[in-house]
Amino acid sequence: MEFTDRPETQVSEAPGEGEEEQNSKEEAETLTRWEREQHDLKEKLITCNTEEWQDHPEFVGLERIGGVDLSYPKENDNTACASLVVLSYPAMEVIYEEYNMVTLDAPYKAGFLAFREVPSLAAALQKLKEKDPGMMPQVLFVDGNGILHHRGFGVACHLGILTNLPCIGVAKNLLQVDGLANNDEHKEQIRQLQDSGDMFQLTGDTGCILGTALKSSSKSSKPIYISVGHKMSLKSAVRLVHLCCKHRVPEPIRQINIILLLHYLCCCVSVLVWLSAMRLSMDGVPSAMKTFISTAFMKALAALPLSNKRKRYLSTYCDRLAVTESMPDIIGLPGGSVRDLCILG
């Protein structure tokens, strides 16, 4: 089992000719309705600063930043993990976290991802607002795009309009729209980014500035792609995102994966502590038990929305768990420590 940021449409048994025609008609009607809704919501979009703290050189007045993301099991695109974290600013400490497995009603259609993802993310924010309004974020970092979108209205825009919160789109990969392409010219621009904070604008064929490619960390070879979501200018958005980057991905989004990983590692450590307490070496564990532990580990790993890099490290750890001769040896995780696992990506 693998995870992906965006689900692929699963292929089922081929429908009959009449059923296929009906499905095609219903899909066309849905897309037309969604496009009309996007157009209507887009008219409410604000792409300039709206709060005093946004114009301050040090963002004085900003105290809470939220991060949201939706992650999918690759083999099941009908469920996902909807995540919301809130961090203090400028300390970048997690002060609130919420994770929920949700069922998705809308199908995945390129350019209309918001209709699939935003309801669950908006619900998480509404839950926080009702439970503890003083913890509501003053700005949201969305793992996705804002106006860098087929029709200039991505997930960050859609969520911003519905929640009335300033939003920033932060994507790890370039969405190739309006003539933007991950071609040789684009790759050369990336190579010219030498220091943390270096950037270049993403200007489409229409002449519109759709976002900014930012080298967010001196150790990262890949930029992140920042675009306006709602109620904040691109200049201020880029500046704030950079200030929130200890590594490539800004902390409000990066912490989502870290917290999920730490929860999982706690479960792993519990198993190791139990085995150590029983003073069992892996040589003394029956083969069937080894297989059970290894299988349980991999199933739990597959159920988490982690990056492929983290999953490879944890898979290696699972392999070591099955073959290592003594318990002390398997305490050392690949990479040297839990912290090494947490800073990947």
Side-chain angles (χ1 to χ4, degrees), residues 53 59-65 86-93 95 134 136-139:
W53 59 263
F59 295 111
V60 171
L62 176 61
E63 299 177 350
R64 299 173 306 281
I65 301 178
V86 181
L87 278 66
S88 62
Y89 182 85
M92 290 287 101
E93 296 177 350
I95 57 177
M136 281 291 288
Q138 295 164 273
V139 60

Side-chain angles (χ1 to χ4, degrees), residues 31-145:
L31 296 182
T32 299
R33 174 169 53 83
W34 283 354
E35 188 168 352
R36 185 168 57 248
E37 288 182 28
Q38 276 186 338
H39 179 271
D40 292 343
L41 289 173
K42 187 178 178 181
E43 293 184 349
K44 302 177 183 179
L45 191 65
I46 300 174
T47 59
C48 60
N49 288 342
T50 56
E51 305 290 338
E52 289 186 12
W53 59 263
Q54 295 170 342
D55 293 315
H56 195 281
E58 298 178 359
F59 295 111
V60 171
L62 176 61
E63 299 177 350
R64 299 173 306 281
I65 301 178
V68 292
D69 188 21
L70 215 68
S71 302
Y72 305 80
K74 191 172 184 179
E75 79 293 343
N76 182 2
D77 66 356
N78 293 320
T79 61
C81 180
S83 306
L84 164 66
V85 298
V86 181
L87 278 66
S88 62
Y89 182 85
M92 290 287 101
E93 296 177 350
V94 177
I95 57 177
Y96 177 85
E97 59 187 80
E98 179 79 25
Y99 300 90
N100 289 298
M101 293 304 298
V102 297
T103 300
L104 304 174
D105 299 324
Y108 169 72
K109 296 295 178 183
F112 298 97
L113 187 64
F115 292 95
R116 181 175 176 81
E117 297 195 342
V118 165
S120 298
L121 299 177
L125 287 159
Q126 182 61 31
K127 180 179 178 180
L128 172 57
K129 185 176 182 179
E130 294 173 356
K131 182 168 64 174
D132 191 352
M135 202 65 76
M136 281 291 288
Q138 295 164 273
V139 60
L140 278 177
F141 285 20
V142 180
D143 190 351
N145 293 291

